Amino acid sequence: MQIFLSKNRLSLLLLIFTVFLGCGQAEDETPEPVTQPKPILYGTVSGKVTDANTNNPIPGAVVKLFGLEVKTEVDGIFAFHGIPYFEEQNLTVHDPDYQVYTYTFTLNQERLTVDAALTPLKDHEDELNAFFESFSELIEPLDFENLPDIQARFSESYVASDDPVTAFGILSGVIPPNFEGVDPTFVNIFQKYSWLQFVFKDRVMDITHARKASIQILLDVDSENAENGNLRHLEANCNFEFRREGTDWKIVYWQLLALDVGLQ
């Protein structure tokens, strides 16, 4: 009986010691502080895309950032919202008529402005000068086989001005009134003259960007009438408006500012 009680006392002492030790350790442990996650901050990236040569805005350029894609507005403006801070980003601008633009940055402010000046792939003035040279070469031979190529120089949306001077040129058969009238106008010219020199000179160009331009030019024409052999000299001060369609410049508007016709 005495042995049994001693064992019970021993077990009880061990139990009390274990509980006491456990309580002591719990009191000595310092709880780790709770770390609050850093808030994710977001900002806005916006800017304007322009032609590096003319400083005019470029509409329709594709701007890419953070897996997002937008097109520039008529005024060349773009904007991205909800771009995270502290992540390196690449903003790229793509346009088929310009070199690709890339800007690398890390956003750390609420609003960031990125203005992109794009470098044209081709010289706009050289292209338009070449347009007029080839246009003259198509007209001067009076070759009816050139008519499809002449018509292709005009946009399907082409229209002539409705002012009185231009109306006179249309009635005289030297200016097409619209796209449908391009072919009949040049058919008439080719039938009417046996010889023709069609020269564009004194060009003053106002280039908006790689897809839009206007040019004031002197059209100098010497001709020989096929019916009576009369020689005629014509000077026409004209204003042309151009738009790039695909890869080609095309005439969208023709205004006759002044016309001087004389017999030789």
Side-chain angles (χ1 to χ4, degrees):
M1 184 66 176
Q2 184 67 35
I3 296 175
F4 176 75
L5 291 175
S6 298
K7 288 182 179 180
N8 284 345
R9 288 196 185 105
L10 181 59
S11 299
L12 181 59
L13 288 173
L14 289 173
L15 179 60
I16 293 171
F17 178 76
T18 301
V19 172
F20 175 79
L21 183 62
C23 292
Q25 289 178 344
E27 291 176 357
D28 292 339
E29 289 181 356
T30 302
E32 295 183 1
V34 177
T35 304
Q36 297 293 333
K38 293 182 179 179
I40 300 176
L41 301 177
Y42 298 92
T44 295
V45 179
S46 61
K48 186 175 185 179
V49 177
T50 58
D51 184 299
N53 290 347
T54 67
N55 295 322
N56 290 319
I58 301 173
V62 176
V63 187
K64 298 181 179 181
L65 175 65
F66 195 61
L68 304 172
E69 180 178 306
V70 298
K71 286 188 176 182
T72 54
E73 303 293 338
V74 175
D75 55 4
I77 297 295
F78 68 89
F80 293 94
H81 304 283
I83 304 302
Y85 278 29
F86 307 118
E87 288 190 22
E88 187 174 89
Q89 306 285 351
N90 288 319
L91 181 145
T92 60
V93 184
H94 301 263
D95 186 283
D97 300 310
Y98 294 87
Q99 295 179 18
V100 175
Y101 176 93
T102 302
Y103 179 72
T104 302
F105 65 95
T106 300
L107 186 63
N108 57 6
Q109 59 196 73
E110 185 177 352
R111 293 182 179 276
L112 175 66
T113 299
V114 180
D115 291 330
L118 305 190
T119 302
L121 293 174
K122 300 179 181 178
D123 187 285
H124 309 324
E125 289 194 12
D126 287 348
E127 286 185 299
L128 289 166
N129 282 324
F131 177 97
F132 284 111
E133 297 301 327
S134 64
F135 198 27
S136 296
E137 292 171 359
L138 288 171
I139 296 170
E140 287 182 348
L142 301 174
D143 187 346
F144 288 91
E145 292 186 359
N146 289 343
L147 289 173
D149 289 333
I150 291 173
Q151 188 175 46
R153 295 294 194 275
F154 292 80
S155 168
E156 292 186 6
S157 63
Y158 161 77
V159 64
S161 173
D162 59 359
D163 67 274
V165 179
T166 307
F168 178 78
I170 294 172
L171 290 174
S172 301
V174 295
I175 294 180
N178 48 40
F179 181 74
E180 290 74 18
V182 172
D183 193 66
T185 296
F186 284 95
V187 166
N188 176 65
I189 291 173
F190 288 4
Q191 290 174 338
K192 187 175 181 178
Y193 300 104
S194 57
W195 173 79
L196 188 69
Q197 186 177 40
F198 209 86
V199 180
F200 296 98
K201 60 184 183 181
D202 300 338
R203 305 162 194 172
V204 179
M205 299 189 184
D206 181 10
I207 299 172
T208 304
H209 47 67
R211 290 189 290 276
K212 185 179 180 182
S214 63
I215 302 175
Q216 188 169 330
I217 197 167
L218 181 65
L219 173 57
D220 192 298
V221 181
D222 289 303
S223 61
E224 181 181 67
N225 191 289
E227 185 176 343
N228 54 32
N230 287 339
L231 299 178
R232 173 175 291 184
H233 178 75
L234 178 150
E235 287 187 357
N237 191 1
C238 302
N239 182 60
F240 290 93
E241 291 185 7
F242 285 85
R243 181 174 62 236
R244 189 190 296 275
E245 297 181 358
T247 59
D248 300 322
W249 285 103
K250 297 198 175 186
I251 301 171
V252 295
Y253 179 79
W254 188 345
Q255 181 183 17
L256 187 59
L257 302 173
L259 181 64
D260 183 14
V261 181
L263 295 176
Q264 295 180 345

PDB file of all heavy atoms in Angstrom, residues 34-58:
ATOM      1  N   VAL A  34       2.641  41.162 -36.323  1.00  0.00           N
ATOM      2  CA  VAL A  34       1.901  40.889 -37.555  1.00  0.00           C
ATOM      3  C   VAL A  34       2.313  41.917 -38.601  1.00  0.00           C
ATOM      4  O   VAL A  34       2.192  43.128 -38.379  1.00  0.00           O
ATOM      5  CB  VAL A  34       0.377  40.970 -37.316  1.00  0.00           C
ATOM      6  CG1 VAL A  34      -0.382  40.759 -38.611  1.00  0.00           C
ATOM      7  CG2 VAL A  34      -0.031  39.946 -36.259  1.00  0.00           C
ATOM      8  N   THR A  35       2.844  41.454 -39.734  1.00  0.00           N
ATOM      9  CA  THR A  35       3.297  42.344 -40.808  1.00  0.00           C
ATOM     10  C   THR A  35       2.144  42.622 -41.760  1.00  0.00           C
ATOM     11  O   THR A  35       1.584  41.704 -42.363  1.00  0.00           O
ATOM     12  CB  THR A  35       4.466  41.713 -41.584  1.00  0.00           C
ATOM     13  OG1 THR A  35       5.517  41.400 -40.668  1.00  0.00           O
ATOM     14  CG2 THR A  35       4.971  42.664 -42.662  1.00  0.00           C
ATOM     15  N   GLN A  36       1.807  43.900 -41.876  1.00  0.00           N
ATOM     16  CA  GLN A  36       0.733  44.283 -42.785  1.00  0.00           C
ATOM     17  C   GLN A  36       1.275  44.353 -44.214  1.00  0.00           C
ATOM     18  O   GLN A  36       2.352  44.908 -44.444  1.00  0.00           O
ATOM     19  CB  GLN A  36       0.163  45.655 -42.396  1.00  0.00           C
ATOM     20  CG  GLN A  36      -0.484  45.694 -41.023  1.00  0.00           C
ATOM     21  CD  GLN A  36      -1.743  44.847 -40.977  1.00  0.00           C
ATOM     22  OE1 GLN A  36      -2.390  44.646 -41.996  1.00  0.00           O
ATOM     23  NE2 GLN A  36      -2.082  44.351 -39.796  1.00  0.00           N
ATOM     24  N   PRO A  37       0.574  43.767 -45.176  1.00  0.00           N
ATOM     25  CA  PRO A  37       1.051  43.840 -46.566  1.00  0.00           C
ATOM     26  C   PRO A  37       1.054  45.277 -47.066  1.00  0.00           C
ATOM     27  O   PRO A  37       0.177  46.068 -46.728  1.00  0.00           O
ATOM     28  CB  PRO A  37       0.023  43.002 -47.339  1.00  0.00           C
ATOM     29  CG  PRO A  37      -1.205  43.015 -46.485  1.00  0.00           C
ATOM     30  CD  PRO A  37      -0.719  43.069 -45.072  1.00  0.00           C
ATOM     31  N   LYS A  38       2.085  45.612 -47.857  1.00  0.00           N
ATOM     32  CA  LYS A  38       2.160  46.958 -48.420  1.00  0.00           C
ATOM     33  C   LYS A  38       1.036  47.155 -49.427  1.00  0.00           C
ATOM     34  O   LYS A  38       0.764  46.274 -50.238  1.00  0.00           O
ATOM     35  CB  LYS A  38       3.511  47.170 -49.105  1.00  0.00           C
ATOM     36  CG  LYS A  38       4.692  47.173 -48.149  1.00  0.00           C
ATOM     37  CD  LYS A  38       5.985  47.444 -48.901  1.00  0.00           C
ATOM     38  CE  LYS A  38       7.164  47.466 -47.942  1.00  0.00           C
ATOM     39  NZ  LYS A  38       8.446  47.715 -48.662  1.00  0.00           N
ATOM     40  N   PRO A  39       0.389  48.312 -49.390  1.00  0.00           N
ATOM     41  CA  PRO A  39      -0.680  48.549 -50.360  1.00  0.00           C
ATOM     42  C   PRO A  39      -0.122  48.675 -51.773  1.00  0.00           C
ATOM     43  O   PRO A  39       0.959  49.220 -51.976  1.00  0.00           O
ATOM     44  CB  PRO A  39      -1.289  49.877 -49.887  1.00  0.00           C
ATOM     45  CG  PRO A  39      -0.187  50.549 -49.146  1.00  0.00           C
ATOM     46  CD  PRO A  39       0.591  49.446 -48.482  1.00  0.00           C
ATOM     47  N   ILE A  40      -0.851  48.140 -52.743  1.00  0.00           N
ATOM     48  CA  ILE A  40      -0.447  48.251 -54.141  1.00  0.00           C
ATOM     49  C   ILE A  40      -0.972  49.578 -54.679  1.00  0.00           C
ATOM     50  O   ILE A  40      -2.168  49.851 -54.621  1.00  0.00           O
ATOM     51  CB  ILE A  40      -0.991  47.075 -54.969  1.00  0.00           C
ATOM     52  CG1 ILE A  40      -0.457  45.746 -54.422  1.00  0.00           C
ATOM     53  CG2 ILE A  40      -0.611  47.230 -56.436  1.00  0.00           C
ATOM     54  CD1 ILE A  40      -1.023  44.528 -55.129  1.00  0.00           C
ATOM     55  N   LEU A  41      -0.063  50.399 -55.195  1.00  0.00           N
ATOM     56  CA  LEU A  41      -0.437  51.705 -55.703  1.00  0.00           C
ATOM     57  C   LEU A  41      -0.527  51.676 -57.229  1.00  0.00           C
ATOM     58  O   LEU A  41       0.224  50.962 -57.893  1.00  0.00           O
ATOM     59  CB  LEU A  41       0.584  52.758 -55.262  1.00  0.00           C
ATOM     60  CG  LEU A  41       0.769  52.904 -53.746  1.00  0.00           C
ATOM     61  CD1 LEU A  41       1.851  53.926 -53.452  1.00  0.00           C
ATOM     62  CD2 LEU A  41      -0.545  53.311 -53.087  1.00  0.00           C
ATOM     63  N   TYR A  42      -1.442  52.448 -57.764  1.00  0.00           N
ATOM     64  CA  TYR A  42      -1.658  52.493 -59.209  1.00  0.00           C
ATOM     65  C   TYR A  42      -1.650  53.948 -59.679  1.00  0.00           C
ATOM     66  O   TYR A  42      -2.066  54.853 -58.953  1.00  0.00           O
ATOM     67  CB  TYR A  42      -2.987  51.845 -59.583  1.00  0.00           C
ATOM     68  CG  TYR A  42      -3.080  50.385 -59.223  1.00  0.00           C
ATOM     69  CD1 TYR A  42      -3.596  49.984 -57.997  1.00  0.00           C
ATOM     70  CD2 TYR A  42      -2.631  49.408 -60.106  1.00  0.00           C
ATOM     71  CE1 TYR A  42      -3.676  48.634 -57.662  1.00  0.00           C
ATOM     72  CE2 TYR A  42      -2.701  48.057 -59.779  1.00  0.00           C
ATOM     73  CZ  TYR A  42      -3.225  47.682 -58.557  1.00  0.00           C
ATOM     74  OH  TYR A  42      -3.301  46.344 -58.234  1.00  0.00           O
ATOM     75  N   GLY A  43      -1.185  54.160 -60.889  1.00  0.00           N
ATOM     76  CA  GLY A  43      -1.132  55.506 -61.449  1.00  0.00           C
ATOM     77  C   GLY A  43      -1.608  55.539 -62.884  1.00  0.00           C
ATOM     78  O   GLY A  43      -1.996  54.518 -63.468  1.00  0.00           O
ATOM     79  N   THR A  44      -1.570  56.728 -63.469  1.00  0.00           N
ATOM     80  CA  THR A  44      -1.994  56.963 -64.850  1.00  0.00           C
ATOM     81  C   THR A  44      -0.791  57.376 -65.685  1.00  0.00           C
ATOM     82  O   THR A  44       0.012  58.204 -65.267  1.00  0.00           O
ATOM     83  CB  THR A  44      -3.063  58.067 -64.906  1.00  0.00           C
ATOM     84  OG1 THR A  44      -4.235  57.617 -64.226  1.00  0.00           O
ATOM     85  CG2 THR A  44      -3.425  58.413 -66.341  1.00  0.00           C
ATOM     86  N   VAL A  45      -0.681  56.784 -66.856  1.00  0.00           N
ATOM     87  CA  VAL A  45       0.375  57.144 -67.813  1.00  0.00           C
ATOM     88  C   VAL A  45      -0.321  57.674 -69.063  1.00  0.00           C
ATOM     89  O   VAL A  45      -1.147  56.980 -69.665  1.00  0.00           O
ATOM     90  CB  VAL A  45       1.262  55.935 -68.170  1.00  0.00           C
ATOM     91  CG1 VAL A  45       2.327  56.341 -69.190  1.00  0.00           C
ATOM     92  CG2 VAL A  45       1.914  55.365 -66.921  1.00  0.00           C
ATOM     93  N   SER A  46      -0.002  58.902 -69.430  1.00  0.00           N
ATOM     94  CA  SER A  46      -0.634  59.507 -70.599  1.00  0.00           C
ATOM     95  C   SER A  46       0.395  60.319 -71.366  1.00  0.00           C
ATOM     96  O   SER A  46       1.511  60.566 -70.885  1.00  0.00           O
ATOM     97  CB  SER A  46      -1.806  60.398 -70.179  1.00  0.00           C
ATOM     98  OG  SER A  46      -1.355  61.447 -69.336  1.00  0.00           O
ATOM     99  N   GLY A  47       0.018  60.754 -72.567  1.00  0.00           N
ATOM    100  CA  GLY A  47       0.948  61.548 -73.362  1.00  0.00           C
ATOM    101  C   GLY A  47       0.393  61.872 -74.725  1.00  0.00           C
ATOM    102  O   GLY A  47      -0.794  61.676 -74.998  1.00  0.00           O
ATOM    103  N   LYS A  48       1.280  62.351 -75.582  1.00  0.00           N
ATOM    104  CA  LYS A  48       0.898  62.776 -76.930  1.00  0.00           C
ATOM    105  C   LYS A  48       1.918  62.241 -77.926  1.00  0.00           C
ATOM    106  O   LYS A  48       3.129  62.303 -77.683  1.00  0.00           O
ATOM    107  CB  LYS A  48       0.838  64.304 -76.998  1.00  0.00           C
ATOM    108  CG  LYS A  48       0.317  64.860 -78.302  1.00  0.00           C
ATOM    109  CD  LYS A  48       0.190  66.379 -78.197  1.00  0.00           C
ATOM    110  CE  LYS A  48      -0.439  66.982 -79.442  1.00  0.00           C
ATOM    111  NZ  LYS A  48      -0.590  68.456 -79.325  1.00  0.00           N
ATOM    112  N   VAL A  49       1.432  61.716 -79.047  1.00  0.00           N
ATOM    113  CA  VAL A  49       2.299  61.187 -80.097  1.00  0.00           C
ATOM    114  C   VAL A  49       2.318  62.183 -81.256  1.00  0.00           C
ATOM    115  O   VAL A  49       1.258  62.579 -81.757  1.00  0.00           O
ATOM    116  CB  VAL A  49       1.811  59.810 -80.577  1.00  0.00           C
ATOM    117  CG1 VAL A  49       2.686  59.303 -81.718  1.00  0.00           C
ATOM    118  CG2 VAL A  49       1.820  58.813 -79.416  1.00  0.00           C
ATOM    119  N   THR A  50       3.522  62.592 -81.666  1.00  0.00           N
ATOM    120  CA  THR A  50       3.664  63.590 -82.725  1.00  0.00           C
ATOM    121  C   THR A  50       4.663  63.135 -83.784  1.00  0.00           C
ATOM    122  O   THR A  50       5.454  62.212 -83.565  1.00  0.00           O
ATOM    123  CB  THR A  50       4.132  64.939 -82.150  1.00  0.00           C
ATOM    124  OG1 THR A  50       5.392  64.748 -81.473  1.00  0.00           O
ATOM    125  CG2 THR A  50       3.126  65.501 -81.170  1.00  0.00           C
ATOM    126  N   ASP A  51       4.615  63.810 -84.924  1.00  0.00           N
ATOM    127  CA  ASP A  51       5.595  63.622 -85.991  1.00  0.00           C
ATOM    128  C   ASP A  51       6.852  64.405 -85.611  1.00  0.00           C
ATOM    129  O   ASP A  51       6.787  65.595 -85.325  1.00  0.00           O
ATOM    130  CB  ASP A  51       5.004  64.129 -87.312  1.00  0.00           C
ATOM    131  CG  ASP A  51       5.917  63.896 -88.501  1.00  0.00           C
ATOM    132  OD1 ASP A  51       7.044  64.439 -88.504  1.00  0.00           O
ATOM    133  OD2 ASP A  51       5.505  63.190 -89.438  1.00  0.00           O
ATOM    134  N   ALA A  52       7.999  63.742 -85.616  1.00  0.00           N
ATOM    135  CA  ALA A  52       9.239  64.385 -85.185  1.00  0.00           C
ATOM    136  C   ALA A  52       9.656  65.514 -86.124  1.00  0.00           C
ATOM    137  O   ALA A  52      10.359  66.433 -85.700  1.00  0.00           O
ATOM    138  CB  ALA A  52      10.362  63.356 -85.087  1.00  0.00           C
ATOM    139  N   ASN A  53       9.226  65.477 -87.388  1.00  0.00           N
ATOM    140  CA  ASN A  53       9.604  66.526 -88.345  1.00  0.00           C
ATOM    141  C   ASN A  53       8.680  67.731 -88.293  1.00  0.00           C
ATOM    142  O   ASN A  53       9.123  68.870 -88.419  1.00  0.00           O
ATOM    143  CB  ASN A  53       9.619  65.958 -89.764  1.00  0.00           C
ATOM    144  CG  ASN A  53      10.762  64.991 -89.992  1.00  0.00           C
ATOM    145  OD1 ASN A  53      11.692  64.907 -89.193  1.00  0.00           O
ATOM    146  ND2 ASN A  53      10.697  64.240 -91.071  1.00  0.00           N
ATOM    147  N   THR A  54       7.389  67.491 -88.133  1.00  0.00           N
ATOM    148  CA  THR A  54       6.417  68.582 -88.201  1.00  0.00           C
ATOM    149  C   THR A  54       5.868  68.996 -86.841  1.00  0.00           C
ATOM    150  O   THR A  54       5.226  70.043 -86.729  1.00  0.00           O
ATOM    151  CB  THR A  54       5.226  68.173 -89.085  1.00  0.00           C
ATOM    152  OG1 THR A  54       4.497  67.113 -88.446  1.00  0.00           O
ATOM    153  CG2 THR A  54       5.699  67.699 -90.449  1.00  0.00           C
ATOM    154  N   ASN A  55       6.077  68.155 -85.818  1.00  0.00           N
ATOM    155  CA  ASN A  55       5.537  68.369 -84.460  1.00  0.00           C
ATOM    156  C   ASN A  55       4.013  68.307 -84.416  1.00  0.00           C
ATOM    157  O   ASN A  55       3.408  68.661 -83.400  1.00  0.00           O
ATOM    158  CB  ASN A  55       6.004  69.713 -83.874  1.00  0.00           C
ATOM    159  CG  ASN A  55       7.502  69.752 -83.645  1.00  0.00           C
ATOM    160  OD1 ASN A  55       8.099  68.758 -83.237  1.00  0.00           O
ATOM    161  ND2 ASN A  55       8.113  70.893 -83.924  1.00  0.00           N
ATOM    162  N   ASN A  56       3.388  67.862 -85.486  1.00  0.00           N
ATOM    163  CA  ASN A  56       1.936  67.731 -85.514  1.00  0.00           C
ATOM    164  C   ASN A  56       1.517  66.381 -84.920  1.00  0.00           C
ATOM    165  O   ASN A  56       2.260  65.392 -85.017  1.00  0.00           O
ATOM    166  CB  ASN A  56       1.408  67.850 -86.943  1.00  0.00           C
ATOM    167  CG  ASN A  56       1.529  69.259 -87.486  1.00  0.00           C
ATOM    168  OD1 ASN A  56       1.277  70.224 -86.769  1.00  0.00           O
ATOM    169  ND2 ASN A  56       1.929  69.396 -88.731  1.00  0.00           N
ATOM    170  N   PRO A  57       0.332  66.307 -84.299  1.00  0.00           N
ATOM    171  CA  PRO A  57      -0.123  65.041 -83.699  1.00  0.00           C
ATOM    172  C   PRO A  57      -0.381  63.971 -84.738  1.00  0.00           C
ATOM    173  O   PRO A  57      -0.753  64.266 -85.879  1.00  0.00           O
ATOM    174  CB  PRO A  57      -1.420  65.448 -82.985  1.00  0.00           C
ATOM    175  CG  PRO A  57      -1.876  66.678 -83.674  1.00  0.00           C
ATOM    176  CD  PRO A  57      -0.641  67.399 -84.098  1.00  0.00           C
ATOM    177  N   ILE A  58      -0.188  62.728 -84.322  1.00  0.00           N
ATOM    178  CA  ILE A  58      -0.431  61.577 -85.194  1.00  0.00           C
ATOM    179  C   ILE A  58      -1.628  60.802 -84.647  1.00  0.00           C
ATOM    180  O   ILE A  58      -1.546  60.209 -83.573  1.00  0.00           O
ATOM    181  CB  ILE A  58       0.797  60.644 -85.254  1.00  0.00           C
ATOM    182  CG1 ILE A  58       2.020  61.416 -85.761  1.00  0.00           C
ATOM    183  CG2 ILE A  58       0.519  59.437 -86.137  1.00  0.00           C
ATOM    184  CD1 ILE A  58       3.307  60.616 -85.685  1.00  0.00           C
TER     185      ILE A  58
END
